[in-house]
Amino acid sequence: MHDILKRNLLYLEGRAQNLADRLRKIDPDPSLELITADSGDWTARKYSWDGSYQFFHSRINPWRESRMWADSQGAIMPCLVIVGVGFAYHVFELLEKRGYIEDAYLIEADERVFQMAMMVNDLSSLIQNPAVHFLVGYPLSVIETILSKSLIQPFSVHIFSPIVSLYPDIYNPVRQSLENHLCALRMSEGDGVENLLKQMSAA
Amino acid sequence: MNILVIRMHRFGDILQLTPMLQGLKKKYSDCNITFFTSSEMYDLLADNPDVDEVISIPEKKYRYYLKNKPEYYARIYNEMYDLVSDLKGRRFQMIINRHYEFGGILAHLTGAEQILGQSFSPERCTFLNDPISAQLYDTILKTRKTNRRNLVDWACQIAGLSPGSGKMHFSVPEIDLFMAERLLSEHGANNEPLIAVQMGAAKSFRQWGADNYIHIIKWLIKSKGKKVVLLGTEDEKGEADNIRLRLGKSNKYMIDLIGKTDFKTLGGILKKCRKLITGDTGTMHMSASVGTPVIALFYGTAFPWETGPYGTGHLVLYADEKCAPCFYPEDCISGHSCRNSITPEHVSKAFNISEALTRAKITDVDFFSEKVKLYLTYARPGSDQTMIPVNEISNIQGIPNFPDHPERGDFKGAGISGSTDYIYRKGNHLLQKLHRGDSEGFMDLFPEYIGQWIKIISYIKEKYTDENISEALVQCLTPAINEATRAMQARDYTTLSDLIQYDFKHAIDILTGASSHTAYECERRILQ
């Protein structure tokens, strides 16, 4: 596990020194528990103060779950945003399904979750891919600034609900901001969908 | 042939399209039919054999949010944008829009070789794109009273089919029949003949009134020895309480199911009843769809030639006033007196005639009233449905196929497979929502999914004769449902998704004989 982390961090240093430093310094989160799925892959659960818990990825087969998730996505644009990274199984699946990408922005709210992902999965191919951008542990204002500058053409947004539901207070405003930005870009194309919404608001 | 049909709401109107769907499948044997509707209507069509796929949106919620929560505009816009892109990608050859303006815009944005019904263009706004729809519009506007074509047959014609191309259809799987029977038993039904009564209609000027219903319910109980099943929505609860009070001791012969039925249970209940007495309601079309004869009361804006129950053997009482069918009920100067033209005596007479008809004792029928007409519906393949004045029935030779009259305890549903197909599709539908990031929609629907499994457990416990399978399923499903309850409270989507994909899927495999997994194996997975 530590070998994988070391290797991932090594690659990350080359791309995002600050993030690598931050990940090195933080202590693991005691509310996160690593668990082996039936398939032998890793998943984890996060405990709340009241003892309830939520799983990150399937307890049976995280890869299969991620393939199904990727297959269920609508249009996957060359420029895309994935909200909720977790252990990144679904990130690999989506990028593989898409093939060529211009830019992929991966938003993970919790540095400790990302630290855990770096421990259990080999993320080196993602880290080394210059089209892949990690936005880990950033506040909304920073994410908004980065994305409004970078996303200047229509993009697709892919929500991974199990991770997003762990931190709704962080992810929901990010999602809202992405939706507003995408809506503005699409409306500027004059696609006619606003007629549909106009009718729905009027009736 | 790839066909899209659009109709968003009103469950009676959607059921009225089922003969058209059947006709399309007959005409284009390899066609693929996608039905686009609102989420609330999904269950009406999910196991219709003529529909290949149902796509639904929470239209009501969207409309509410658009008017009251502007912060949701972008999300709804993006979802509709993605929907339109998805529909466009399906390359429909034909779009049949039966939802006017909204459907017209959607049809225009989706695009197809042929758009039937209302369409849209930025230059012309909304317009009718085919001559039959234009003719229907003109007829309703200018010559409604002389129209003799039911909307079911109009829909067939709009789709390029001959009238009478199919029958009304609503699937009631065996488990839902079982649940309907159980609901009836819990409310005191034994083996006595049941008559359903649907009091309400959406608009007050279309309601016949509590006094009239009390009169007829008393007559059914005291003179005919029937038990009455009262149907309706939660809004009619007050009216039902009023009736129960006024029935006095007889109220033990009334089963109040107001607000207690979803579509499937309603279909099951109606299938278990011998007849339905109702105004022009969605329940009337549901009854016609499951083959239970209707005695329908038409007055005011309701015009039986247009929206009367479809199929042979239903009776329609029609208050044929000079001003009928009413166009502007709000301006009525007679205080909707047409409602009172139809009296409880008319209904009881119609009931007796209906009983005689279903016993195939068609002799001379005597029904005379100056203001009220009594018609028998008569549908023939390849022709428009017609309505025959009952006094003329004896002149008509060979009216076949009155709707059947299921006896209680007589299970002739689609078998367990109907329910397993349904729940399998429902599970996939839920996963799709979750994967698309609609966790809110997923959580709205998940309790229904669990409810369906709870129904299945009840059914298995009482009806399954193979004890090994029954035990394996109960032992598999009980911990799965407990775990689902925990996961719902914790918003643990991963576990809910695992349960649908593995544990509940295993149960489906066992039910359909596709797997011989034992209870132990299912249990092991849950407890890990």
Side-chain angles (χ1 to χ4, degrees):
Chain A
M1 208 180 267
H2 287 285
D3 288 345
I4 301 174
L5 178 64
K6 265 187 196 166
R7 195 174 131 95
N8 281 330
L9 282 172
L10 204 65
Y11 285 115
L12 192 62
E13 274 169 359
R15 283 283 316 273
Q17 180 72 52
N18 282 346
L19 178 59
D21 290 345
R22 276 177 6 234
L23 294 179
R24 269 207 186 88
K25 282 177 198 158
I26 51 171
D27 294 326
D29 184 345
S31 71
L32 301 179
E33 181 192 5
L34 264 177
I35 288 169
T36 319
D38 282 6
S39 60
D41 302 294
W42 290 104
T43 181
R45 60 179 151 192
K46 180 175 171 56
Y47 283 91
S48 298
W49 59 270
D50 61 357
S52 65
Y53 54 86
Q54 291 163 280
F55 277 87
F56 289 18
H57 298 283
S58 169
R59 274 187 277 179
I60 317 290
N61 188 337
W63 283 111
R64 184 171 180 267
E65 175 199 41
S66 297
R67 260 192 304 281
M68 282 183 68
W69 176 84
D71 287 342
S72 299
Q73 302 304 301
I76 308 167
M77 306 287 278
C79 186
L80 60 94
V81 183
I82 298 176
V83 184
V85 174
F87 290 179
Y89 298 105
H90 57 291
V91 176
F92 283 107
E93 289 294 341
L94 191 80
L95 296 189
E96 193 184 312
K97 190 174 159 63
R98 167 65 220 176
Y100 166 76
I101 51 162
E102 282 173 15
D103 285 293
Y105 295 89
L106 314 184
I107 302 175
E108 174 52 59
D110 187 352
E111 286 175 347
R112 286 178 166 126
V113 168
F114 193 64
Q115 184 194 45
M116 209 175 226
M118 300 269 282
M119 281 161 66
V120 299
N121 278 340
D122 180 1
L123 306 183
S124 56
S125 63
L126 291 178
I127 297 168
Q128 290 181 91
N129 186 340
V132 175
H133 313 278
F134 289 96
L135 308 180
V136 178
Y138 289 156
L140 175 66
S141 55
V142 176
I143 295 175
E144 273 181 333
T145 310
I146 294 171
L147 293 183
S148 61
K149 278 185 191 159
S150 316
L151 300 170
I152 48 169
Q153 57 180 337
F155 54 95
S156 54
V157 181
H158 308 276
I159 309 284
F160 193 69
S161 299
I163 299 295
V164 167
S165 69
L166 296 174
Y167 303 98
D169 295 347
I170 301 175
Y171 282 117
N172 287 346
V174 170
R175 186 177 179 177
Q176 172 92 55
S177 168
L178 281 166
E179 276 161 356
N180 291 343
H181 188 52
L182 180 60
C183 176
L185 283 172
R186 283 172 164 176
M187 281 178 86
S188 65
E189 287 180 342
D191 48 55
V193 173
E194 62 270 25
N195 288 324
L196 210 51
L197 268 68
K198 207 184 281 175
Q199 196 283 331
M200 288 169 92
S201 336
Chain B
M1 173 73 98
N2 204 5
I3 302 170
L4 174 68
V5 180
I6 304 171
R7 175 78 218 187
M8 300 310 287
H9 43 66
R10 293 176 76 120
F11 80 93
D13 293 11
I14 290 175
L15 289 172
Q16 283 180 291
L17 293 176
T18 55
M20 177 196 81
L21 299 170
Q22 213 176 83
L24 285 167
K25 278 282 175 185
K26 274 188 227 158
K27 184 172 176 182
Y28 310 104
S29 53
D30 61 343
C31 75
N32 191 289
I33 299 180
T34 304
F35 203 109
F36 183 71
T37 189
S38 63
S39 309
E40 297 82 15
M41 299 294 131
Y42 179 87
D43 280 356
L44 272 183
L45 296 155
D47 43 15
N48 185 310
D50 303 313
V51 177
D52 297 282
E53 190 179 354
V54 184
I55 300 178
S56 63
I57 56 162
E59 189 216 5
K60 234 189 212 173
K61 191 160 99 178
Y62 282 0
R63 285 185 189 273
Y64 175 80
Y65 281 2
L66 286 170
K67 282 177 199 161
N68 302 293
K69 296 189 172 187
E71 67 272 23
Y72 276 87
Y73 185 91
R75 179 173 299 181
I76 297 170
Y77 182 96
N78 288 328
E79 282 176 13
M80 294 308 290
Y81 182 99
D82 291 339
L83 171 81
V84 169
S85 307
D86 176 23
L87 293 175
K88 260 185 199 165
R90 292 170 186 244
R91 300 183 187 285
F92 293 105
Q93 273 97 38
M94 184 193 283
I95 297 178
I96 303 167
N97 169 32
R98 299 294 298 139
H99 197 77
Y100 305 103
E101 207 174 335
F102 172 83
I105 301 171
L106 185 68
H108 159 73
L109 292 173
T110 301
E113 287 165 23
Q114 201 180 10
I115 295 176
L116 303 168
Q118 196 159 29
S119 189
F120 173 89
S121 76
E123 302 77 32
R124 294 171 65 187
C125 286
T126 51
F127 59 94
L128 292 162
N129 208 31
D130 66 283
I132 308 285
S133 293
Q135 199 187 330
L136 169 61
Y137 184 78
D138 268 0
T139 303
I140 289 177
L141 212 64
K142 295 173 190 162
T143 55
R144 193 173 173 212
K145 202 172 172 98
T146 56
N147 171 39
R148 289 294 175 265
R149 178 172 286 163
N150 192 292
L151 282 180
V152 170
D153 291 322
W154 276 108
C156 286
Q157 292 242 297
I158 289 168
L161 308 166
S162 42
S165 285
K167 290 181 174 173
M168 300 280 281
H169 179 89
F170 179 67
S171 300
V172 185
E174 189 166 324
I175 285 172
D176 293 287
L177 272 178
F178 163 76
M179 292 311 292
E181 178 163 281
R182 223 168 78 152
L183 187 62
L184 288 167
S185 301
E186 282 166 9
H187 285 77
N190 293 311
N191 279 318
E192 59 279 84
L194 300 170
I195 306 300
V197 173
Q198 158 85 39
M199 288 196 312
K203 305 267 166 54
S204 63
F205 56 82
R206 288 176 72 170
Q207 292 164 3
W208 195 37
D211 288 347
N212 287 329
Y213 276 113
I214 288 169
H215 200 105
I216 200 71
I217 290 170
K218 274 186 180 168
W219 177 79
L220 285 166
I221 293 170
K222 288 183 178 161
S223 305
K224 303 299 287 182
K226 312 286 186 197
K227 258 195 176 170
V228 172
V229 180
L230 212 53
L231 299 169
T233 60
E234 201 72 40
D235 302 343
E236 292 145 28
K237 241 182 163 39
E239 201 93 315
D241 292 341
N242 175 20
I243 289 181
R244 213 186 4 248
L245 273 174
R246 289 171 62 186
L247 278 178
K249 281 182 185 168
S250 297
N251 87 40
K252 63 180 174 189
Y253 298 104
M254 190 183 86
I255 297 169
D256 176 7
L257 296 185
I258 287 195
K260 291 177 184 151
T261 53
D262 53 20
F263 287 142
K264 292 283 179 197
T265 323
L266 179 63
I269 299 280
L270 287 166
K271 224 170 157 55
K272 292 282 160 201
C273 290
R274 299 208 168 186
K275 290 184 202 312
L276 167 72
I277 299 172
T278 178
D280 180 13
T281 61
T283 305
M284 176 187 81
H285 296 298
M286 176 76 87
S287 191
S289 303
V290 300
T292 298
V294 171
I295 296 165
L297 284 58
F298 274 71
Y299 44 81
T301 53
F303 187 48
W305 294 94
E306 213 169 77
T307 56
Y310 198 80
T312 295
H314 307 293
L315 287 178
V316 175
L317 282 157
Y318 179 45
D320 193 7
E321 306 270 341
K322 272 186 189 154
C323 52
C326 176
F327 237 117
Y328 303 105
E330 295 82 8
D331 301 336
C332 178
I333 49 168
S334 72
H336 307 296
S337 61
C338 55
R339 285 188 297 187
N340 301 322
S341 302
I342 300 177
T343 63
E345 288 71 30
H346 287 133
V347 179
S348 54
K349 200 155 194 179
F351 186 89
N352 286 334
I353 293 169
S354 175
E355 277 202 320
L357 286 168
T358 53
R359 288 190 202 114
K361 288 181 181 169
I362 309 168
T363 52
D364 284 344
V365 177
D366 176 29
F367 184 93
F368 180 76
S369 165
E370 212 168 288
K371 283 185 176 173
V372 178
K373 303 264 187 338
L374 179 61
Y375 294 104
L376 172 75
T377 60
Y378 182 26
R380 290 159 298 169
S383 304
D384 278 311
Q385 159 154 307
T386 189
M387 295 203 303
I388 304 161
V390 286
N391 295 336
E392 295 169 20
I393 290 176
S394 54
N395 301 331
I396 309 293
Q397 293 299 310
I399 295 179
N401 298 331
F402 284 95
D404 62 335
H405 306 278
E407 299 296 326
R408 280 170 50 74
D410 173 21
F411 284 100
K412 283 181 184 163
I416 190 85
S417 64
S419 296
T420 48
D421 286 354
Y422 170 74
I423 202 157
Y424 179 71
R425 269 198 299 270
K426 194 110 184 160
N428 285 343
H429 181 61
L430 278 168
L431 289 174
Q432 182 82 8
K433 278 197 174 293
L434 186 63
H435 292 156
R436 290 285 187 105
D438 183 11
S439 50
E440 200 184 311
F442 175 88
M443 272 304 180
D444 286 347
L445 292 176
F446 196 83
E448 262 179 45
Y449 177 77
I450 287 295
Q452 191 67 18
W453 278 112
I454 291 169
K455 281 184 192 178
I456 290 177
I457 292 182
S458 309
Y459 176 81
I460 292 163
K461 281 182 179 166
E462 275 190 45
K463 292 278 172 187
Y464 249 47
T465 46
D466 185 330
E467 277 181 20
N468 288 335
I469 292 183
S470 170
E471 196 184 331
L473 281 166
V474 173
Q475 283 190 30
C476 165
L477 286 170
T478 308
I481 287 169
N482 291 339
E483 177 65 349
T485 310
R486 186 222 38 98
M488 271 197 284
Q489 281 164 359
R491 302 219 151 235
D492 180 359
Y493 296 109
T494 303
T495 297
L496 295 174
S497 157
D498 275 349
L499 286 166
I500 295 172
Q501 281 182 70
Y502 298 99
D503 302 279
F504 290 125
K505 174 69 173 53
H506 270 284
I508 291 172
D509 288 346
I510 296 169
L511 280 164
T512 54
S515 164
S516 58
H517 282 281
T518 62
Y520 170 74
E521 281 171 299
C522 286
E523 202 175 2
R524 183 188 60 83
R525 172 154 291 118
I526 290 291
L527 297 176
Q528 242 175 8

